[in-house]
Amino acid sequence: MKRLLIGFISLIAIQNIAHAQADVFLCVDDNGKKEYKNTGATKGCKRVELPGITVVPAPALPSTPKKTQAKSASSPADFPKVDEGTQKARDSDRRQILLDELKAEEQKLADLKKEYNNGEPERRGDERNYAKYQERTGMMKDNISRTEKNIEALRREISNLK
């Protein structure tokens, strides 16, 4: 119960940072239920004394040029390092994975375009209603667009590799 009270008072203290500190009243009803209010007009309410709020200003950031910050940024001394040969092997594996994904996406795009048939795919037997046909055609168009975006993203990722 004390933890709940302390937590609630802390919450109230945090909220009061945004505006002037207001009076807080702890009200207990006939059933013994405790309730916090900002007015003490009802019976059974007592004003709660809250500690004053102390606001500590954030420290000023150093005004160093970005070039010197970039040069001074380094990993900690105990940060694990990988030798150059291992890193090259990992980069090669990554490139191969991306190329394989690109090839699969290009094949998928070719299949989708073939099935789409320039916006006039063959109607299936379960599409007696023209709206179902249009819905399937729209989904095919969306799939083609999504696959083209995936191919573009994979090509961009491959071009970013060293």
Side-chain angles (χ1 to χ4, degrees):
M1 189 65 171
K2 285 184 180 181
R3 291 166 69 187
L4 179 64
L5 179 64
I6 291 172
F8 188 77
I9 291 173
S10 299
L11 178 64
I12 290 171
I14 290 171
Q15 287 178 340
N16 286 337
I17 291 173
H19 54 80
Q21 188 167 351
D23 293 331
V24 177
F25 295 89
L26 175 61
C27 304
V28 181
D29 64 7
D30 296 333
N31 297 330
K33 182 180 173 188
K34 294 182 180 180
E35 191 174 25
Y36 291 92
K37 296 184 178 183
N38 62 347
T39 60
T42 58
K43 185 179 177 183
C45 293
K46 294 181 183 177
R47 186 171 186 272
V48 179
E49 292 293 325
L50 297 175
I53 298 173
T54 305
V55 178
V56 180
L61 296 175
S63 59
T64 57
K66 289 184 179 182
K67 288 182 180 178
T68 57
Q69 287 178 351
K71 289 180 184 177
S72 64
S74 63
S75 58
D78 61 341
F79 193 78
K81 304 238 186 234
V82 178
D83 65 277
E84 191 174 325
T86 304
Q87 187 61 45
K88 283 186 180 183
R90 289 179 181 176
D91 291 343
S92 175
D93 290 345
R94 180 172 182 226
R95 176 180 291 279
Q96 189 59 48
I97 290 169
L98 289 171
L99 289 172
D100 292 344
E101 287 181 23
L102 178 62
K103 185 178 178 183
E105 286 292 318
E106 287 173 340
Q107 181 62 43
K108 179 181 173 184
L109 179 62
D111 294 342
L112 287 171
K113 284 186 175 182
K114 182 179 178 183
E115 184 182 356
Y116 186 62
N117 193 20
N118 293 324
E120 297 179 5
E122 291 186 32
R123 285 181 86 165
R124 299 188 303 210
D126 64 339
E127 295 175 332
R128 293 186 182 164
N129 185 347
Y130 189 67
K132 286 185 179 181
Y133 174 76
Q134 285 181 320
E135 182 181 340
R136 182 171 66 99
T137 304
M139 287 176 36
M140 293 170 85
K141 188 175 180 181
D142 291 343
N143 286 340
I144 289 173
S145 175
R146 189 177 314 110
T147 303
E148 287 172 340
K149 288 178 183 176
N150 288 346
I151 289 172
E152 182 182 318
L154 285 168
R155 286 183 178 154
R156 188 172 44 248
E157 188 69 26
I158 289 169
S159 70
N160 288 338
L161 293 177
K162 295 178 183 177

